[in-house]
Amino acid sequence: MSDACGCGSDEPTVAGQESGESEGREPERLWEVSELRAAAVAGVLLAAAWIVGWVDGPAPVQLGLEAVALLVGAWTFVPSTLRRLAKGKIGVGTLMTIAAIGAVVLGEVGEAAMLAFLFSISEGLEEYSLARTRRGLRALLSLVPEQATVLRGGVEMVVAPGELRVGDTMLVRPGERLATDGTVSSGRTALDVSAITGESVPVEAGPGDEVFAGSINGNGVLEVRVTSTAEDNSLARIVRIVEAEQARKGAAQRLADRIAKPLVPGVMIAAALIAAVGSVFGDPLVWIERALVVLVAASPCALAISVPVTVVAAVGAASKLGVLVKGGAALEALGRIRGIALDKTGTLTRNQPVVIDVATTGGATRDQVLHLAAALEARSEHPLARAILAAVDGHTPAADVEAVPGAGLTGHLDGRALRLGRPGWIEAGELAEPVRRMQSDGATAVLVEADGQLIGAIAVRDELRPEAAEVVARLHRDGYQVAMLTGDNQATAAALAAQAGITDVHAELRPEDKAALVGTLRTQRPTAMVGDGVNDAPALATADLGIAMGAMGTDVAIETADVALMGEDLRHLPQALQHARRARAIMLQNVGLSLAIVIVLMPLALLGVLGLAAVVLVHELAEIVVIANGVRAGRAQPLPSAPPDAAAPAPVDAAAVRA
């Protein structure tokens, strides 16, 4: 999750903990944030007090309204500040508390109430900018079936996944999910492993092959020897990584607190020294009063409110651009990023395999090969089938179609016996070289046979998004280091990376490998991970910043990430980075101005040049300036036009791809 915490909050919220806002739900709307509700009440009371004073009403009534406003505003940060102090932790809330007390001691209850009112607004805005419902881990756990079939003593038994033991033989029928990791002992099939590796094309599995929890069995019956318990399988490890990394991020401090850490004790020590030394060499009452004015002068009101205002403005503008940014820490981190790790499937690619090449032999034409293949695939839901069917204008379903697990399909059309399947089950013969070339281009090759005669080979590949190369080129121009991470094989990864203009390629990675690699990249430069699936969740959580492709991504990717690109246009990525850099620059401007105000006011208060009223006036003017500057972060330009070739991509000639 985002690594921010409120100035006055007790502890940062981490994965699995409840927000201080409510017992079981984080706020989704402004009026659901308790700090903002308290600020509204305090504001009304202060306005009423001002009106009473303006009309020369009873002084006790005005003082009472100011006192109640102070109590309401202080409720949002004083209790948590005291709890933090009890644990030896200080922050902006500490100094705000002392400043409010100092103002009360000086008899300026109204000014103390104003400080509490402004700070409660900053607390509420920060809470609102961070509040997001996190349901991602449930999406992971739902990949495990509620029951599994196991063979014990030659008898089939249905058990809960938690009852599986290492060494058990698990029976997995077509369409079922694997309950845990294991090794295939008998049977062949095509497994949908997208939840584990992100691979877009189902993977053939047979005896001796390792299979993972959450994978969906294709059309064959498998016997799988269990190699890990439900508590230690692939999905369980993903959950542990996500929880650990979210906890790490949740413990970090936000920008204002990082600055306040040395500022607050410095101001407190300075005020104490002013009171002590001044009392020795002068009138104690005068110097104690000056020390308290110095405390008020040093109260970082502008600092406290400037960052949340900038965050809300920038996050709101980003949402209009189709970019969801989860809070100030995420926005600040996005502006610091210098390295981008891109997942391949569904991020750089469409996750929609298409036919890119057809090789023929025996006098057959390209159309004949595709139509015979489409006849066999007419009623299949296999991703390869959808790609082949999309490549023909029309087709006649074959008769007597049968699936050969782990191999392909057989059937009849117009009296001809047809076969379609992987190389090895059908001999490539004179098409061996074209098939090898297809595979080196990162495509999946299937062979087509009619009446025992090989007639062609079809290459299917998940193609790049049309804007991918443009986006990578822009990232490079902007000074970002770009790497591609994927669970696909090395040939597929290398071919598509070359098209996209990426030279740093890491292939055949499992979720744990992606997370470990991102951890390594983070040691070199601030790194963001961009992904779209469950398999990307650990890497998204491990990175300095996780960015999910929201429109295509799973719940866990969106909820684990700090930023989500809600559309399918990858050009939102460099746009979001540019927007965040500008917003972060505005944040730093506000922080610099806020600190400058404190630095200037403190000596003037110390020398008695400015009294409490003048100090508070300067603070309030500074707040207006930083708020106005922060609002500038709400300006953002939409993308100029739709991505090139936004329609479905046409088949690509393999020779052109290789060139």
Side-chain angles (χ1 to χ4, degrees):
M1 69 176 291
S2 172
D3 60 346
C5 67
C7 293
S9 60
D10 179 27
E11 292 293 341
T13 303
V14 298
Q17 293 177 341
E18 300 294 356
S19 167
E21 165 63 25
S22 65
E23 291 301 319
R25 182 174 61 88
E26 292 189 17
E28 297 178 0
R29 299 175 180 85
L30 279 171
W31 59 83
E32 294 178 351
V33 180
S34 62
E35 290 87 350
L36 291 180
R37 292 199 297 268
V41 173
V44 170
L45 291 169
L46 277 173
W50 180 82
I51 292 172
V52 169
W54 182 63
V55 299
D56 292 327
V61 173
Q62 181 181 4
L63 180 61
L65 289 171
E66 291 172 345
V68 175
L70 172 60
L71 291 175
V72 172
W75 169 82
T76 65
F77 64 92
V78 172
S80 56
T81 295
L82 295 177
R83 288 194 295 269
R84 287 170 64 94
L85 283 173
K87 298 177 181 179
K89 299 178 181 180
I90 57 176
V92 176
T94 307
L95 196 54
M96 294 298 293
T97 300
I98 296 173
I101 293 172
V104 171
V105 171
L106 293 175
E108 300 292 344
V109 177
E111 304 303 343
M114 180 62 71
L115 294 179
F117 165 66
L118 292 170
F119 193 60
S120 62
I121 291 177
S122 72
E123 287 290 276
L125 290 176
E126 182 74 0
E127 174 69 20
Y128 176 68
S129 69
L130 294 171
R132 293 290 184 270
T133 303
R134 298 188 175 274
R135 301 177 297 268
L137 294 182
R138 288 201 295 272
L140 281 174
L141 300 176
S142 68
L143 294 176
V144 177
E146 294 182 358
Q147 57 187 27
T149 304
V150 64
L151 297 174
R152 290 177 180 166
V155 178
E156 292 186 17
M157 301 175 60
V158 176
V159 300
E163 298 177 25
L164 291 171
R165 301 189 296 266
V166 174
D168 277 343
T169 297
M170 189 167 51
L171 185 66
V172 187
R173 296 183 174 86
E176 293 182 345
R177 288 186 182 272
L178 275 71
T180 191
D181 299 345
T183 302
V184 178
S185 54
S186 70
R188 285 191 173 275
T189 190
L191 286 174
D192 177 358
V193 296
S194 58
I196 307 303
T197 68
E199 189 153 0
S200 56
V201 177
V203 173
E204 305 292 341
D209 291 334
E210 188 176 9
V211 292
F212 306 106
S215 303
I216 302 174
N217 188 16
N219 46 21
V221 177
L222 295 179
E223 289 188 6
V224 178
R225 189 179 70 83
V226 174
T227 57
S228 67
T229 63
E231 293 77 19
D232 196 37
N233 61 33
S234 303
L235 295 179
R237 288 195 296 273
I238 291 175
V239 171
R240 284 198 294 272
I241 292 173
V242 171
E243 287 180 334
E245 291 302 325
Q246 286 185 339
R248 175 186 63 81
K249 286 188 172 184
Q253 293 177 310
R254 73 177 186 181
L255 178 63
D257 266 347
R258 292 203 300 272
I259 294 172
K261 189 173 183 179
L263 175 64
V264 172
V267 169
M268 293 170 63
I269 293 171
L273 288 175
I274 290 169
V277 175
S279 297
V280 171
F281 296 101
D283 186 349
L285 291 178
V286 171
W287 286 102
I288 291 173
E289 181 178 347
R290 286 190 183 182
L292 291 173
V293 175
V294 167
L295 271 178
V296 175
S299 62
C301 305
L303 175 64
I305 199 169
S306 63
V307 172
V309 166
T310 306
V311 167
V312 171
V315 168
S319 66
K320 295 177 182 178
L321 300 175
V323 179
L324 173 63
V325 181
K326 299 181 178 179
L331 185 70
E332 185 194 351
L334 187 60
R336 288 199 315 267
I337 292 301
R338 302 314 303 164
I340 307 291
L342 293 165
D343 175 53
K344 181 185 76 67
T345 305
T347 301
L348 282 170
T349 69
R350 293 175 173 272
N351 202 17
Q352 298 173 355
V354 296
V355 172
I356 65 165
D357 192 20
V358 178
T360 62
T361 186
T365 66
R366 180 182 186 277
D367 287 343
Q368 287 173 334
V369 172
L370 284 172
H371 277 84
L372 291 179
L376 288 171
E377 297 278 24
R379 294 183 174 87
S380 174
E381 293 298 322
H382 196 287
L384 293 180
R386 292 194 293 272
I388 291 172
L389 293 173
V392 299
D393 295 330
H395 59 276
T396 302
D400 306 322
V401 176
E402 293 184 4
V404 179
L409 301 170
T410 64
H412 294 84
L413 181 67
D414 298 331
R416 304 176 73 185
L418 306 179
R419 285 204 305 165
L420 177 145
R422 61 179 178 82
W425 185 58
I426 298 177
E427 291 302 322
E430 3 181 306
L431 294 181
E433 179 57 26
V435 166
R436 186 200 63 77
R437 195 166 58 243
M438 290 173 179
Q439 293 174 331
S440 68
D441 286 330
T444 298
V446 292
L447 299 170
V448 183
E449 186 181 86
D451 290 329
Q453 179 70 35
L454 180 68
I455 62 170
I458 302 172
V460 177
R461 188 172 63 193
D462 187 12
E463 291 293 87
L464 284 177
R465 294 176 181 271
E467 72 276 14
E470 172 194 343
V471 168
V472 171
R474 179 174 172 183
L475 291 173
H476 283 147
R477 286 196 306 271
D478 291 344
Y480 294 98
Q481 296 293 319
V482 182
M484 186 175 84
L485 281 58
T486 179
D488 278 354
N489 61 74
Q490 186 66 44
T492 299
L496 287 172
Q499 280 185 273
I502 300 174
T503 56
D504 189 6
V505 184
H506 305 271
E508 300 178 11
L509 301 175
R510 292 176 61 188
E512 303 96 314
D513 303 326
K514 287 185 180 181
L517 183 58
V518 167
T520 300
L521 294 175
R522 288 182 60 230
T523 64
Q524 302 168 8
R525 61 186 63 86
T527 299
M529 173 68 193
V530 187
D532 81 309
V534 169
N535 62 291
D536 300 318
L540 289 169
T542 302
D544 292 289
L545 187 85
I547 303 176
M549 290 294 293
M552 300 176 67
T554 59
D555 287 343
V556 67
I558 297 174
E559 297 300 336
T560 303
D562 304 288
V563 176
L565 307 181
M566 303 309 292
E568 295 194 20
D569 191 343
L570 192 58
R571 293 184 301 165
H572 284 304
L573 176 60
Q575 183 189 36
L577 290 165
Q578 182 182 32
H579 177 64
R581 285 199 303 272
R582 180 173 178 271
R584 184 169 181 264
I586 291 174
M587 281 188 202
L588 295 177
Q589 291 168 9
N590 279 347
V591 169
L593 176 60
S594 302
L595 293 177
I597 294 296
V598 170
I599 292 171
V600 170
L601 286 182
M602 284 184 65
L604 294 178
L606 172 63
L607 298 174
V609 176
L610 295 179
L612 182 62
V615 166
V616 172
L617 176 61
V618 173
H619 270 304
E620 291 178 352
L621 291 175
E623 287 156 15
I624 293 173
V625 172
V626 298
I627 289 173
N629 191 44
V631 169
R632 292 194 306 116
R635 301 174 189 169
Q637 295 296 322
L639 290 178
S641 61
D645 189 19
V652 179
D653 181 79
V657 171
R658 290 190 298 277

